[in-house]
Amino acid sequence: MRELSGSQDGFGGDLRFGETGPGAGLRGADKICATIAEKSLPGAGSKMWRAFLSATAGEDGKQVNAIDRIGEGPWYDRLGRLVANEKEELLNTRPSGADEAIMNDLPNEDGVPNHQPDPGQPEVDNHDTLTGSNTQGQLQGATATCKDWTAKTGDRAEGGPQLGHSWPRGGGGGPGGGGGGSHWITSHNAPGCAPGVNIVDSGGPAPGSNTVGGGGGYGGIYCFALTP
């Protein structure tokens, strides 16, 4: 995310990635997913990729729920390990059908554990993942999407994006949160939409923080291919 954004602070809540017009935030996020997939495995970018993000309005002006964007499954990680067979397994605090090796640490685009991407280095605090969604993978609310993934000033009027936890982290369960900080889709909201990365365990956002990564993250998103 840092590389594609051209900034060590990442994209923040603005995921348009060159897209314009209605639904640009979602289309840009999908393009980010495809670009990252191609970098990890040449040829994989040609698949139909969807970011697991909800929005108040898509291209047609209607509400978009993340769970409706990703197909019916099954879904696998980069190394072929099962994440979930279908939506019923996916819509749990942790994906109930997932391979035990990844259930509690959903990996990155290379199949590497998100919590400790460099096995030679200590674990990092990067659990917060943008979703804008509730426990059912549906829109959490009007202020949960950084103006449908187009906003990044950090102004309070932009809201605070709803976050899931790629690996269980205690202390969650804020507005709309689930699973006491363990839910991969929805645990709490970020303090703002501004770009910002914090992967050092500091116990939560600093006072006055207004960034998507303020509580431990880099503005990451979940990416699903519509076909395995």
Side-chain angles (χ1 to χ4, degrees):
M1 300 297 278
R2 283 170 150 174
E3 179 183 344
L4 295 188
S5 69
S7 168
Q8 285 300 297
D9 288 331
F11 289 100
D14 184 354
L15 304 177
R16 286 176 287 185
F17 200 43
E19 294 293 306
T20 59
L26 291 178
R27 288 198 311 278
D30 294 344
K31 188 163 68 172
I32 290 170
C33 286
T35 304
I36 291 174
E38 184 67 23
K39 283 179 171 290
S40 175
L41 181 64
S46 63
K47 293 185 178 184
M48 192 70 72
W49 287 92
R50 293 289 181 266
F52 192 89
L53 295 171
S54 294
T56 62
E59 289 182 304
D60 60 1
K62 296 180 180 178
Q63 177 177 316
V64 178
N65 297 317
I67 194 63
D68 298 329
R69 310 191 73 234
I70 61 171
E72 300 300 323
W75 303 277
Y76 302 88
D77 82 335
R78 166 70 169 78
L79 302 182
R81 296 171 295 193
L82 182 67
V83 176
N85 285 296
E86 35 73 34
K87 290 178 180 178
E88 185 176 353
E89 291 182 357
L90 201 59
L91 291 175
N92 288 282
T93 300
R94 309 303 301 178
S96 63
D99 187 299
E100 290 186 2
I102 62 175
M103 178 184 293
N104 288 316
D105 193 349
L106 297 174
N108 65 19
E109 65 272 15
D110 295 319
V112 176
N114 198 50
H115 194 183
Q116 193 174 13
D118 185 344
Q121 296 293 325
E123 294 176 339
V124 294
D125 190 16
N126 59 1
H127 55 284
D128 284 343
T129 308
L130 301 170
T131 69
S133 305
N134 62 21
T135 57
Q136 296 304 300
Q138 300 170 342
L139 178 68
Q140 168 63 27
T143 62
T145 70
C146 294
K147 295 188 174 179
D148 291 342
W149 315 111
T150 66
K152 63 176 183 179
T153 68
D155 187 282
R156 296 299 179 185
E158 295 173 344
Q162 194 71 12
L163 306 166
H165 283 179
S166 60
W167 48 270
R169 179 73 160 88
S182 297
H183 209 294
W184 75 273
I185 300 176
T186 184
S187 284
H188 58 87
N189 64 305
C193 295
V197 171
N198 177 23
I199 55 176
V200 177
D201 192 349
S202 56
S209 174
N210 65 350
T211 74
V212 297
Y218 53 91
I221 56 178
Y222 297 118
C223 297
F224 287 75
L226 297 189
T227 56

